[in-house]
Amino acid sequence: ILANTKHANRQTNLIISAQGINQTIKISQQKGEVNPDLDKIHYQLPVIFHVLYQNENDINQYIKEDHLKDVLVRANHFYQSEKCGIDINLEFVLATKDKNGTTLPEPGVERVPFNELPIDCEKFMRDNTGKYTSLLWEPNEYINIMVYPFTDSQVLGISNFPYSLKDFFLEGTQQVSASWITLENLSFPYCISINSSYIYEQSTDERINQNDAAITLAHELGHYLGLRHVFSEGGTTSMCTDTDYCKDTKSYNKQEYESNCEYEQWLNNLDKQNKYQLKDLAKRYSCEKGEYEAHNIMDYAYCFYNEITLEQRKRIRHILNYSPLIPGPKESRIDTRGVQGRLNLPICIMK
């Protein structure tokens, strides 16, 4: 997700905690079909924030204690029915134990001295040399979130996009053949990266801050679980085509929106911005459905960020149930012996 740079400074469900679980659920139907019983699982996905810092006295590097806990609590709201309108049946929880099974003194947080700050987030995420994989904890047990200052101040966050399997392929993802992939097989940092320069940005009851760190994290977690942007992509954002594989999201021409006269006037006339309201700036035009307001968490500014659709929920549940490198029980995880050594895996990242 990208920053709004003009304001850069301102039934009973089965509950399963995913940490430490490499569980296989017995296949009870034909390959490729969705097992309805899996939808009853309430996933609790452990998150570990790796705070990379150079200066312990810089609160934008050495994040204040308990602040990331607050960001995760607020990010969870975007996946709850009270906020997004539907029940995703999952929550993100702070990891309580480290990769060696020791209780973490600060739940969900590891602080790591690092001498390469700030970091080019794209180069970091695409580095395929194995240089950064030591920073990761086992992705089958944790969602790894790196927190550090980016060299590009326009980028708020960036995430790896999940894989899917041939027998359980999800359109819009990269297909891999190995059903069981572990940290040992990775040569690049499979994770989410969050720009710590914006980590204290927060919305209020009166105003949605488009650079809110919780919105950024919710958006990147969406990518991590298989959601694409709702606006049109596919080589160019000027295309007015549906590229997120969700029929119930409204696609629009982002390039056209950003060149909209009213939008540009708002950006370029700070002294007149008070006359514009979010409902005006959140106006989009769908090629198929006409004018509408932007509410989806997988959009960019300016947006209300309070919607996940049923089709998006379906994609998330598919990734949770079948994809490798995602914590929790998997129906497709038949052979847990895995492949030894590094694999030549495709790298797909999204902002």
Side-chain angles (χ1 to χ4, degrees), residues 60 65 67 98 110 317 339:
N60 286 308
E65 190 171 352
H67 181 70
D98 68 16
E110 178 196 36
R317 297 299 300 190
V339 179

Side-chain angles (χ1 to χ4, degrees), residues 88-110:
I88 309 296
N89 207 8
L90 72 86
E91 64 181 311
F92 305 98
V93 299
L94 294 169
T96 57
K97 295 184 178 182
D98 68 16
K99 55 186 176 181
N100 298 314
T102 304
T103 299
L104 288 165
E106 187 178 358
V109 178
E110 178 196 36

